[in-house]
Amino acid sequence: MGKLDHGLVGADEFYSRMYVNYIKEYRLVAKNKLYRENFHDFYNENGLHFCSEQFKIFAYIADCIASHNIFKAEDNEACKNIYRDYSLECLLPDEYNLISYQDNPLLFILCVADTIEPSKRFNNYKNKDILNLISIDFDRYANLLTVEVDETIYNSEAGHKYVYDVEELSKWCDINTSVIIKRLD
């Protein structure tokens, strides 16, 4: 959408660093041994196990990091056409499946955490102060995320946007949400 996204950059950075680390460890082990270690399965000098099967795990984690900031298309033709141009039909409103903990736990956690994490949204507050003004609870049996927001921060543009985003979670993640505005007494 015309800007760098922390999810896409983070995914690329994560996968690249894991790959480079794997190769670096292999080269250290191979250099320090008289015999050639197997690139696909080896132990480093600290006894850590490296296996090429780990690349599948790295790819899955990188995919979740990238995907946590890729959104369902808006229900208008201009937006839908952009998604079609990039072969993102699975994100069109008629094709979209809610992100669920059961189907993709890491992606689900990243999406929910990124949405409810308040410190990036309220620049006028120190992190410890904002955490005293917001309370977050999850009831796994009811699949209910309850966020209680103090009225002092709710009465700001950032507060309204935060509450809106939390309430919108259920439109793209398989979770129920409840927002409570805590009134000052």
Side-chain angles (χ1 to χ4, degrees):
M1 298 300 178
K3 60 183 176 180
L4 285 178
D5 176 82
H6 75 273
L8 298 176
V9 172
D12 182 58
E13 188 73 11
F14 171 81
Y15 190 81
S16 297
R17 286 184 182 208
M18 296 304 287
Y19 187 83
V20 166
N21 183 63
Y22 187 100
I23 292 172
K24 182 183 106 190
E25 290 296 322
Y26 171 73
R27 287 181 176 159
L28 282 172
V29 168
K31 176 182 164 188
N32 295 333
K33 304 249 178 172
L34 295 176
Y35 61 93
R36 190 105 173 126
E37 284 288 325
N38 180 348
F39 178 79
H40 301 288
D41 194 347
F42 65 93
Y43 289 86
N44 73 359
E45 297 296 323
N46 296 321
L48 296 177
H49 185 216
F50 287 75
C51 175
S52 60
E53 289 295 309
Q54 293 169 330
F55 289 117
K56 294 175 186 175
I57 297 168
F58 303 157
Y60 165 69
I61 294 169
D63 180 68
C64 289
I65 294 169
S67 298
H68 94 280
N69 249 31
I70 299 175
F71 301 101
K72 177 180 170 182
E74 293 176 19
D75 201 4
N76 66 62
E77 283 309 307
C79 185
K80 289 179 185 179
N81 287 334
I82 291 171
Y83 277 64
R84 286 184 192 106
D85 288 345
Y86 288 95
S87 300
L88 297 172
E89 287 83 1
C90 65
L91 296 174
L92 296 175
D94 294 340
E95 302 291 324
Y96 188 81
N97 291 317
L98 294 177
I99 299 166
S100 73
Y101 183 82
Q102 291 73 25
D103 293 340
N104 198 333
L106 180 58
L107 178 58
F108 178 84
I109 290 168
L110 287 173
C111 291
V112 172
D114 195 45
T115 301
I116 66 174
E117 193 279 312
S119 65
K120 65 185 175 195
R121 297 172 179 262
F122 300 99
N123 298 330
N124 297 343
Y125 293 89
K126 293 179 182 174
N127 287 345
K128 68 177 183 146
D129 295 333
I130 199 67
L131 293 175
N132 287 324
L133 297 171
I134 294 177
S135 173
I136 299 170
D137 186 53
F138 180 70
D139 178 344
R140 68 182 178 131
Y141 299 107
N143 193 31
L144 176 64
L145 174 72
T146 302
V147 178
E148 188 174 301
V149 178
D150 194 279
E151 186 177 44
T152 57
I153 61 169
Y154 175 69
N155 288 330
S156 68
E157 184 178 332
H160 283 286
K161 175 77 170 119
Y162 179 74
V163 166
Y164 174 81
D165 289 346
V166 170
E167 291 173 337
E168 291 289 297
L169 257 175
S170 62
K171 291 186 176 178
W172 53 285
C173 287
D174 183 21
I175 193 168
N176 301 309
T177 59
S178 172
V179 177
I180 300 167
I181 309 302
K182 189 168 93 176
R183 306 287 177 210
L184 297 173
D185 294 330

